[in-house]
Amino acid sequence: MLVVQKYGGTSVGDCSKIANVANRVARVKKEGHDVVVVVSAMSGETDKLIGYTKYFNEIPSQKEVDKIVSTGEIVTSSLLSIALQNLGFKAIGLSGEKAGVITDCIHTKAKIQKVNQENINKYLKDGYIVVIAGFQGISKDGEITTLGRGGSDLSAVAIAGALKADLCEIYTDVDGVFTTDPRIESKAKKIEKISYDEMLELASLGAKVLLNRSVEMAKKLNVKIITRNSFNNNEGTLITNEEEIMEKPIISGIALDKNQARISMVNVDDKPGIAAELFTSLANSNINVDMIVQTIGRDGKTDIDFTIPKTDLALAKTILSDFERSSQSIEFDENIAKVSIVGLGMKSHSGVASKTFGTMAKENINIMMISTSEIKISMIIDLKYAELAVRALHSAYELDK
């Protein structure tokens, strides 16, 4: 059996925690399995390195930033290899480049294009535990790149898919995927199994255990993922095909995303191409637009509301200054949140929307924007009501039972 394990920053936060990870990896190897380990930088290390890059320039060269921040994972992979060697195992640390992770040429937000697994397979055949620096790769033109937020998870899934691993274990500091954030709702329950589609929605809507890019790749490559806690031996959450889940609850989980900003463009010229021009400008700067609402045009004018990550708001303001001539006013609101309910059972059950909106009305929470799919309903609401909404919806759908 071939197992790919990924350990996040909190799991490898210092040398004693790396020793704990080494013991966990060693147990799997002793059971006769081949093991590939993907590691993040130590907790806080990436932020510290990014801080260094901004000492001289608030907007430093992204190519140089990648060279610097990629060192965090290199350190961790080498330390874990040393720890495993000290336990008597053959182990080797590989950079993203040496592991064959090939990306496009977009620095700090690169996308994996393929994994050349020959080097990894060579070491596995020779009995090594292969420890790979996550979050990074090498571009087609030979430059070091990093994959952005959640990049180590993405590395692990891509490598597991390329190696056709039997299982990909994602280790963090939580026991798995919960019905909602336990820090907001203490009655939240751990989910035993969840489909790729449900996890993809939860991840894209703000759930912190896995990011949507990793789940999307896992579905594409048919990689079974288990999320587990590296500090105990509790069973985690299996993320797999919908067909493997016998009972499909109406609602599986509730996600909350506070990293949202709403942009309202009032009295925009209602003419063909204006929306294309607007959203192309944002896309060219790698700003992801989420919800979009456009009113029916009147007197040659229309209103366009949309949401983006709050972290991209400053850049968006600069871009949108070019559109001021087309709009009477552009308003920005950072005090919002997106609350979403997700569940496969929504496909075959009526009344979900009415129950959701009724719950919000009962709590006197106004809904600003709504977005739906087959298995989710998302709502933009005032930030100050965000956690109240989560608790109310969790109770309404009896997710604590």
Side-chain angles (χ1 to χ4, degrees):
M1 182 171 171
L2 172 58
V3 179
V4 173
Q5 297 185 330
K6 179 266 174 179
Y7 292 91
T10 53
S11 301
V12 292
D14 55 39
C15 286
S16 65
K17 290 179 179 177
I18 290 173
N20 174 62
V21 168
N23 288 326
R24 188 181 286 270
V25 174
R27 285 199 298 271
V28 178
K29 184 65 175 176
K30 286 177 181 177
E31 291 170 0
H33 305 304
D34 288 329
V35 190
V36 174
V37 186
V38 177
V39 291
S40 299
M42 294 183 184
S43 182
E45 186 67 18
T46 300
D47 288 339
K48 183 175 76 173
L49 293 170
I50 290 173
Y52 290 157
T53 69
K54 294 186 176 181
Y55 180 85
F56 301 101
N57 190 332
E58 191 61 30
I59 307 178
S61 161
Q62 300 298 279
K63 182 185 292 187
E64 300 303 327
V65 169
D66 273 353
K67 293 176 187 175
I68 293 168
V69 299
S70 64
T71 61
E73 283 73 18
I74 298 290
V75 169
T76 312
S77 61
S78 294
L79 286 174
L80 180 55
S81 296
I82 292 170
L84 287 164
Q85 290 165 8
N86 192 53
L87 294 175
F89 294 91
K90 293 167 68 175
I92 186 163
L94 300 178
S95 65
E97 176 184 4
K98 294 298 183 183
V101 180
I102 311 299
T103 75
D104 60 19
C105 300
I106 300 176
H107 287 283
T108 74
K109 293 181 180 179
K111 291 182 173 61
I112 297 175
Q113 297 192 329
K114 63 179 178 178
V115 176
N116 294 331
Q117 69 269 34
E118 291 83 4
N119 206 26
I120 303 174
N121 280 329
K122 180 187 73 174
Y123 284 110
L124 288 174
K125 187 177 180 180
D126 290 341
Y128 280 83
I129 297 172
V130 181
V131 185
I132 299 171
F135 180 64
Q136 63 184 258
I138 191 80
S139 70
K140 292 175 293 183
D141 55 7
E143 295 286 348
I144 294 171
T145 55
T146 61
L147 308 177
R149 187 164 166 259
S152 292
D153 288 351
L154 195 64
S155 299
V157 173
I159 289 165
L163 296 172
K164 294 182 169 38
D166 297 283
L167 189 63
C168 180
E169 299 178 318
I170 305 291
Y171 284 93
T172 64
D173 56 355
V174 294
D175 284 353
V177 180
F178 282 74
T179 50
T180 196
D181 189 338
R183 294 169 297 182
I184 296 174
E185 175 52 85
S186 60
K187 296 178 182 178
K189 299 291 186 182
K190 183 172 69 67
I191 302 169
E192 291 184 9
K193 289 183 180 181
I194 190 168
S195 71
Y196 292 124
D197 287 339
E198 288 175 301
M199 192 65 237
L200 184 57
E201 290 284 11
L202 286 172
S204 64
L205 297 170
K208 300 295 191 296
V209 178
L210 280 173
L211 292 185
N212 56 324
R213 291 169 69 194
S214 304
V215 183
E216 190 172 22
M217 182 171 286
K219 180 181 178 181
K220 179 181 177 182
L221 301 177
N222 197 29
V223 174
K224 285 187 179 181
I225 298 176
I226 291 182
T227 63
R228 286 184 172 143
N229 194 325
S230 62
F231 301 107
N232 60 45
N233 293 313
N234 296 343
E235 291 295 325
T237 298
L238 174 65
I239 303 164
T240 186
N241 290 313
E242 180 180 335
E243 291 74 21
E244 295 191 27
I245 300 173
M246 297 294 290
E247 295 185 19
K248 300 176 175 61
I250 299 175
I251 301 300
S252 294
I254 299 169
L256 173 61
D257 186 357
K258 295 182 179 180
N259 181 33
Q260 290 283 307
R262 180 187 182 192
I263 299 175
S264 302
M265 301 181 68
V266 181
N267 284 340
V268 180
D269 292 335
D270 190 12
K271 61 183 182 181
I274 189 68
E277 183 183 352
L278 168 64
F279 294 117
T280 297
S281 297
L282 295 168
N284 288 341
S285 295
N286 292 310
I287 295 176
N288 182 44
V289 177
D290 186 14
M291 294 189 189
I292 303 173
V293 174
Q294 181 172 344
T295 60
I296 298 173
R298 290 187 177 88
D299 301 322
K301 298 290 183 180
T302 187
D303 297 342
I304 300 176
D305 284 16
F306 58 95
T307 60
I308 63 170
K310 192 180 296 185
T311 48
D312 288 331
L313 186 57
L315 178 57
K317 286 181 178 180
T318 301
I319 295 167
L320 292 174
S321 63
D322 294 335
F323 291 86
E324 289 179 348
R325 67 187 183 278
S326 303
S327 175
Q328 185 176 354
S329 68
I330 302 177
E331 301 170 0
F332 305 93
D333 186 1
E334 297 182 62
N335 296 310
I336 63 165
K338 179 169 64 177
V339 178
S340 308
I341 63 170
V342 176
L344 286 173
M346 291 173 63
K347 293 180 181 180
S348 55
H349 287 77
S350 60
V352 176
S354 62
K355 186 171 187 176
T356 299
F357 302 146
T359 300
M360 302 295 274
K362 185 179 178 181
E363 298 295 339
N364 202 30
I365 300 173
N366 185 50
I367 303 171
M368 303 175 190
M369 301 173 73
I370 299 169
S371 174
T372 65
S373 75
E374 272 192 315
I375 63 169
K376 67 101 176 181
I377 297 174
S378 292
M379 299 161 287
I380 295 295
I381 63 173
D382 194 310
L383 180 62
K384 66 183 178 183
Y385 296 122
E387 295 188 4
L388 170 62
V390 168
R391 288 191 289 269
L393 290 165
H394 198 273
S395 176
Y397 285 102
E398 300 183 334
L399 295 181
D400 54 330
K401 295 183 179 179

